[in-house]
Amino acid sequence: MPSWRLLVLLVWATWWGGIFFYASVVVPIGAEAIGSIEQGFITQRVSRIHNGLSVAFLVCLGIESIRLQSISLGILSATLASNILLLTLWHAHLTSNMNFAEHSVPSTFYQQHAVYLWLFAIEWIQGIVISAMLFRSVLPSAPLSQAEGI
C-alpha cells in the first residue's frame, strides 16, 4: 500500500510541520511586525485550520494503528486525541475572552494562554514520538533508492 503510506506521511508532515513552522517562524515575526495582540487575533483564526489538520491526522493515525494492529500506536493516537480535545476546548475558552470589536483581551488572558501554549508544546512533542513510530511503520525498510515505486 505505497499510496496509503505516502498519504499518512504527507498528512503527518503537514500537521506537524505546520505546528513547527507556525510556532517557530510565523508567530515571532508576526508579533514583531504587528504586535502580540494583533498576532493573537490572527493565531485565533489559524488555530481552527490547525484543529482541522489535527483531526485529519488523527483519522489517518487511527486507521494506521488498526491496519498495523499496533497497540502502542493506538495508545499514542488516544493520547494525542485527548490533548487535541483539550486544546480545542481551551481555545474556545480563550476565544470567549477576546474582544473582537476592539481587538483587545483582558489582563488575565496571557496567564490563561500559557496553558494553551503548554498543551501545544505537548502536542508538538507527541508529534515527535508519533513520527518515530510512523517512520518505523510507514516508510519502507529498504534504502530510498530501492523503495517501492521510487
Side-chain angles (χ1 to χ4, degrees), residues 85-102:
L85 178 61
L86 287 172
L87 271 165
T88 302
L89 293 172
W90 198 251
H91 185 265
H93 167 71
L94 290 173
T95 298
S96 71
N97 286 304
M98 298 172 79
N99 184 329
F100 288 87
E102 297 178 14

Side-chain angles (χ1 to χ4, degrees), residues 58-126:
L58 281 171
V59 168
C60 289
L61 191 60
I63 291 169
E64 189 67 357
S65 66
I66 292 167
R67 191 181 77 74
L68 296 172
Q69 298 179 341
S70 172
I71 293 172
S72 57
L73 203 53
I75 290 169
L76 287 170
S77 299
T79 59
L80 179 62
S82 298
N83 193 53
I84 289 170
L85 178 61
L86 287 172
L87 271 165
T88 302
L89 293 172
W90 198 251
H91 185 265
H93 167 71
L94 290 173
T95 298
S96 71
N97 286 304
M98 298 172 79
N99 184 329
F100 288 87
E102 297 178 14
H103 274 233
S104 64
V105 294
S107 61
T108 59
F109 185 83
Y110 290 102
Q111 294 167 337
Q112 296 176 35
H113 190 263
V115 173
Y116 186 84
L117 294 177
W118 278 108
L119 290 169
F120 199 73
I122 290 167
E123 181 184 13
W124 185 78
I125 291 167
Q126 288 171 315

Side-chain angles (χ1 to χ4, degrees), residues 22 25-40 42-43:
Y22 197 76
V25 176
V26 176
V27 171
I29 290 172
E32 182 182 315
I34 62 174
S36 61
I37 291 178
E38 288 299 320
Q39 174 63 39
I42 294 169
T43 302

